Amino acid sequence: MVDSRARTEGHANGGSELKLHLLYEKMEKLSRKELSKWWEIESLQRYIDVERVPRDLRIYTIPTYEDPDPEEWAENCQVSSLNMMKILIKYESKDRKKILDEIEKVSTEILSLTTDDGMEEFKENLEKKLSRFEDDIMSKKQRKCIRDFWDYQSGRILSFHRKYDHLEGQTKENKYFPKAVGVEAQEVEEEEPGSKDTRKEKKSPGKQVCQPELRK
């Protein structure tokens, strides 16, 4: 009788430990996903704030009918790109909210199967893993950001600017989206009289945008 009860309790404890282990794994997976979503939203918003667009979200289409005004056409493509980024932020925010709700449910389940000390230990280990994961995200985001802002700095904003430099002014693409000196490279300010250089480039907004900080 005693042996039977002990075996039953052993099976129950083993089942609880397995369930707890699976919940820990689920929580880590959800936390990584939520962190990735947060950084995606943060990055897109930083670009929008300075009216810049990542490479893979730059919209450009060439008119096939009577030629409209090139400057107006290019400006509207830029606005469309920025609006698309706002739509993505809205979508990612909704998706992140669902993940946060799921994290809350899993956290409640974990608490029902472990002690406060056990929960604190799990949180501490999870934070260490997420810290390394976030460092990796920030590093990748920074590299892409520097690349994207260099496109604007060099004037090679669209793919054909980089691929067909030698055809500048000879294609319809370049008519509507001409290679232009980046805004950052144009903006200069006067040095004080007597300084070594009479002019210098202003700080590129990319330098600030591309310096990610750990989420608080």
Side-chain angles (χ1 to χ4, degrees):
M1 181 72 176
V2 174
D3 290 343
S4 177
R5 182 181 298 173
R7 284 196 297 272
T8 301
E9 291 177 352
H11 286 309
N13 290 335
S16 296
E17 289 178 2
L18 176 60
K19 184 177 181 180
L20 188 59
H21 176 72
L22 293 174
L23 286 171
Y24 282 158
E25 288 186 341
K26 186 175 183 179
M27 175 66 90
E28 181 178 342
K29 184 178 180 180
L30 286 169
S31 297
R32 286 174 178 267
K33 192 173 181 180
E34 186 276 326
L35 188 57
S36 295
K37 292 286 182 183
W38 186 91
W39 269 106
E40 192 63 31
I41 295 167
E42 174 73 6
S43 298
L44 287 171
Q45 188 58 57
R46 287 187 177 205
Y47 277 82
I48 290 172
D49 289 344
V50 292
E51 297 185 346
R52 294 292 179 267
V53 182
R55 273 189 184 179
D56 55 346
L57 295 178
R58 293 170 194 165
I59 296 174
Y60 69 93
T61 180
I62 307 302
T64 57
Y65 39 87
E66 186 175 350
D67 293 351
D69 178 73
E71 185 175 343
E72 184 179 4
W73 185 271
E75 182 180 345
N76 275 278
C77 284
Q78 167 75 355
V79 171
S80 296
S81 297
L82 293 170
N83 285 337
M84 182 174 68
M85 292 165 66
K86 293 175 183 177
I87 292 173
L88 288 174
I89 287 178
K90 186 177 180 180
Y91 168 78
E92 295 287 3
S93 297
K94 287 182 178 179
D95 202 28
R96 178 173 172 261
K97 175 64 169 56
K98 293 178 182 178
I99 296 170
L100 287 171
D101 290 342
E102 186 66 18
I103 286 175
E104 185 67 26
K105 292 178 183 178
V106 174
S107 180
T108 300
E109 287 188 70
I110 291 175
L111 278 171
S112 70
L113 295 172
T114 188
T115 62
D116 290 342
D117 290 341
M119 188 64 174
E120 285 302 315
E121 183 180 357
F122 166 69
K123 284 183 176 180
E124 185 177 337
N125 291 331
L126 179 60
E127 285 176 2
K128 290 178 181 178
K129 292 179 180 179
L130 291 180
S131 178
R132 292 192 293 269
F133 181 63
E134 186 172 23
D135 285 342
D136 186 52
I137 292 176
M138 290 168 61
S139 178
K140 291 178 180 177
K141 291 289 183 185
Q142 186 176 38
R143 287 197 300 271
K144 288 183 179 179
C145 184
I146 291 171
R147 177 204 68 186
D148 292 337
F149 275 77
W150 175 247
D151 289 346
Y152 285 90
Q153 182 80 18
S154 64
R156 296 176 175 85
I157 300 172
L158 300 174
S159 59
F160 56 79
H161 292 153
R162 299 185 294 275
K163 192 173 182 180
Y164 301 116
D165 245 1
H166 60 290
L167 296 177
E168 185 173 350
Q170 301 178 36
T171 65
K172 198 167 185 179
E173 286 86 353
N174 278 302
K175 176 181 178 181
Y176 283 93
F177 304 96
K179 176 184 172 184
V181 177
V183 173
E184 293 88 346
Q186 286 182 331
E187 292 180 343
V188 294
E189 60 183 7
E190 296 293 337
E191 287 277 359
E192 294 181 4
S195 61
K196 183 177 180 180
D197 298 320
T198 57
R199 296 170 69 87
K200 68 177 182 180
E201 289 185 4
K202 281 187 177 180
K203 289 184 178 180
S204 163
K207 292 181 180 179
Q208 181 178 358
V209 175
C210 296
Q211 289 294 333
E213 298 177 357
L214 287 170
R215 182 173 67 166
K216 296 179 181 179

